[in-house]
Amino acid sequence: MRASLTRSLTLGLLAAAVAAPALAQTPPATIGDRYIPAPWWMRDPVIASVGNVQVELQANRAFVSASFQSVERSVNDASRAAADQVRALSQALAGYGADKVRVETSVTTRPIYDQYRDGDGVIRDNTRADRIARYQADAAVRVTVRDVALIERVYATIVASRPTSIGQVSFSLDPENSWKANLAAEAMKDARRRAEAAAANAGATLGRVRIIDPSGRVCQTDVLAGWPSYAASGPATSVDEVVVTGAKAMERANFAPPPPPAAPAGGGAPSEDQIEAARLALQPPLQTLTDSACIIYSLN
């Protein structure tokens, strides 16, 4: 009896060990199989609807960089001269406040060696510590504009500071959490609108909700082809009128220039006339924000 019980337990454990991998398999079938088991939510008639929405928003971040170069006989003089060039600009831009304009600066130096011609007439650097002729210092400024209404003035201030080089102005969209939440809600509404239209056109009505998937992945499962195989969803619905008030208020402001900050102590910053003379039209581009959601309804 005891031996029989031990054998039964052993067989039971072996059966469980064999069944465990089968239960853990994902997906439950191989693509191309003749018969594909349907997911649980397809036991009754259902309709899977994907809500796709998009909205165009003006970029709310701008970036630009510049560099100042100085060449002196000593490393201290070169670094000090480059730092002096960038200090007044940094202070002028910092006057707007770190919540609107963020300024990062760095200074690097390198030696400039005497040169000579080798036996083949090629000019080479005499890279010896006692053959350093000058030191070159490069002061870099990277500016992040968090209030894009200031970008024209910030760029003009940089130009008026006469840097050695200026990088291209770039823009990006950093959506606020409320914008994302509003767009996610619109994706759900869009999914319901599409489901209602499809059911009505097919002569049915929507029943209760079976699944709500904010990621939209459930609706991409292609059961007929052997899931999970994914198909493209329909075109996105534009929801331009659902943008949060903050973005619209920024648009209505038409980028009116704010009052300039106070000039930094010690002078050296560009004058107001120089800044105005260097102004260019810089219109932040439109960026597309998208979201999707999947809702599965039963059908009546």
Side-chain angles (χ1 to χ4, degrees):
M1 175 67 117
R2 187 170 185 179
S4 176
L5 180 59
T6 301
R7 186 164 51 255
S8 298
L9 289 173
T10 302
L11 291 174
L13 291 174
L14 288 173
V18 172
L23 293 175
Q25 286 179 354
T26 302
T30 303
I31 294 176
D33 283 357
R34 183 175 181 182
Y35 300 104
I36 306 298
W40 65 268
W41 43 265
M42 292 193 66
R43 295 171 185 169
D44 302 318
V46 296
I47 180 172
S49 179
V50 178
N52 280 322
V53 291
Q54 67 179 23
V55 65
E56 285 189 331
L57 299 174
Q58 281 189 134
N60 60 352
R61 298 288 185 270
F63 308 90
V64 64
S65 60
S67 64
F68 297 80
Q69 190 177 96
S70 178
V71 177
E72 300 291 343
R73 288 190 174 277
S74 72
V75 64
N76 290 335
D77 290 343
S79 299
R80 186 181 302 109
D84 289 342
Q85 286 181 298
V86 80
R87 184 177 296 110
L89 173 62
S90 299
Q91 292 176 349
L93 297 179
Y96 290 107
D99 59 326
K100 295 182 179 180
V101 179
R102 302 186 66 88
V103 183
E104 302 173 30
T105 60
S106 61
V107 179
T108 58
T109 59
R110 69 179 184 87
I112 300 176
Y113 296 95
D114 286 335
Q115 295 180 329
Y116 67 94
R117 291 184 182 273
D118 62 12
D120 297 326
V122 178
I123 298 178
R124 300 185 181 277
D125 289 338
N126 194 355
T127 54
R128 290 170 36 185
D130 61 340
R131 303 301 296 176
I132 296 176
R134 296 285 191 278
Y135 287 92
Q136 176 181 311
D138 294 282
V141 181
R142 176 170 172 79
V143 183
T144 301
V145 183
R146 301 175 64 86
D147 180 358
V148 291
L150 296 170
I151 182 56
E152 288 185 3
R153 182 174 180 81
V154 167
Y155 185 78
T157 303
I158 294 174
V159 173
S161 298
R162 295 183 295 180
T164 305
S165 64
I166 304 176
Q168 181 180 0
V169 179
S170 60
F171 295 91
S172 70
L173 176 64
D174 185 12
E176 298 178 5
N177 290 334
S178 59
W179 304 4
K180 298 176 185 178
N182 286 357
L183 201 61
E186 288 302 315
M188 291 290 180
K189 295 177 184 177
D190 187 57
R192 181 171 182 85
R193 285 192 296 266
R194 294 180 188 236
E196 288 175 340
N201 291 333
T205 58
L206 293 185
R208 64 186 182 87
V209 175
R210 306 293 293 272
I211 295 177
I212 298 176
D213 179 17
S215 72
R217 293 179 59 197
V218 170
C219 288
Q220 295 175 353
T221 301
D222 193 342
V223 179
L224 299 180
W227 64 288
S229 175
Y230 300 101
S233 56
T237 300
S238 178
V239 289
D240 291 337
E241 299 305 319
V242 189
V243 183
V244 291
T245 55
K248 289 299 184 184
M250 181 180 68
E251 203 173 299
R252 287 193 298 269
N254 198 25
F255 299 100
S271 67
E272 190 64 27
D273 291 340
Q274 291 174 321
I275 293 174
E276 287 301 318
R279 289 191 70 140
L280 295 173
L282 294 172
Q283 181 68 36
L286 295 177
Q287 305 280 341
T288 301
L289 191 62
T290 63
D291 203 348
S292 64
C294 166
I295 304 179
I296 297 176
Y297 298 91
S298 60
L299 287 175
N300 299 327

